[in-house]
Amino acid sequence: MQVLIYAVLSALVPTFVVGSCISAGSISETCSITDLKPILSKGASISYNGSSDLRWSEFHAPTPAAVVYVATENDIVTVIKYCNAKNISFLAQNGGSGWSSSLNLGPNGVIINMRALNQVSFNSARDQATIGGGTLISEAIQAAYANNAQLTTGNCNCVGVLGAILGGGYGNLMGLNGFGVDTLLSLNYVGPDGKLTTVTPNDKVLWWALRGAGPNFGVVTSAVVKSNPVPQANNTAWLGQLIYSGDQLDRVVSAINNLKLEPEMNVFLYFAISESKPVVLITPFYYGDEATARRKFASLLDIGPLMDTTAIVPQNHWNDGAAKSCIRGGRKPAYSAGMHHMLPAVWRAVWIEFVNFTSNPGTDQSIVLMEAYSLGKGRSVPDSACAFPFRQVTFNAVAIPWYYNARLDPVAEAYGRRVRDIWWTNDNTTANTSYINFAHGDENLDVVYGQHTQMLQALKAKYDPKNLFNHWFPLTPRPQTVTLPLELE
């Protein structure tokens, strides 16, 4: 039995300004963008075939007139200054995996492709690493493993490291190290003025805003993060797949709800299609030995999975099970919700929706995913410490319809909204939430920015009053009097 496992993706650092420089409905080589190439570094290039950069999801995907492949951080400075002067819209990206419907580049804009900035280096103590803005999670993990070190990254190899971290940064090791935003030490960043600066904790207000809402304030071109020296021999974990039938769903959900996730643990739940049948799939994770892991996850194992592929795996292969999630193209309008409880009746209702939707031809790659981590370390940091708002959310879930026929868009969107409503309506929380890296793009701002929305809008008015960076769950600049958290005074 083969089961497709998919991880949720989020890897953009987007930007936008109002655009012009149009020739016959698009930028052409006779338009003045041709004078950009001579002022870029020798390794940079420009393509006028925007379709060459196929995104993870083609649903509401940006369609640029040109793609600039930068080779240095200073190239990003050059492109942003150039586009601002020419009134050309632009969007900086790495993995091209962000699916937000707010990515409205328009037909005349420019994508800044940062993939060449994929260098990862470590200091001599291996307790700090510098990660380029074009680095994928797979590249960061491989570099760390080769250097007998660990980095706190996400769980899907084709996602950009920094895009995922700036949104909050969940990952396998967060029970030990905290959220990805908590591992940041400094950020190289290009702001609305087109200048490359290094932002550190000494820059209190901007440092606060970038960690959780970074794409609304500029483009992060590289970062210094915390690292942990770990010999390869000790850099292993117990993980794999536990596959259950739909009849076992209620017991599985109850077990997850009652599971005490210790710092070394996390657990994912999937609905997926295997051999033309819907299945419930659990991926447990334990950073330690197999015997201890099986004791920790006994409540799930005792239910009696139909298949158990768990084993001890080195870190450079922890994400292998999600490889098929990196298939690019297709239409994937995702809808997500944050929750505090795992209730069998809720998940039974979602299961019914999933089974009904995947009865449509061409939808068998669709999934539903729930992620749960040990949150003690992450919650030891105050909610006010940075712009990431949802440390108190216990479970993050997302429904990802996956298909190739655009005629299914209305059906998929209605399905996604129904599932999201089921989660939100039945969780008994005071406010709806969606993790920004999983969110659809139609949510109210407080759904993704939470209690920090008003503060972020005030800071937007200060740092980006012309609203140049208004693409990724865009904040509207609103000058207003707000009370600064103690950390920012």
Side-chain angles (χ1 to χ4, degrees), residues 16 148 177 215 272 333 466:
F16 175 81
N148 290 289
N177 303 325
K466 295 182 179 179

Side-chain angles (χ1 to χ4, degrees), residues 62-80:
T63 53
V67 179
V68 180
Y69 297 88
V70 298
T72 69
E73 290 181 88
N74 281 327
D75 281 339
I76 297 175
V77 172
T78 300
V79 176
I80 290 178

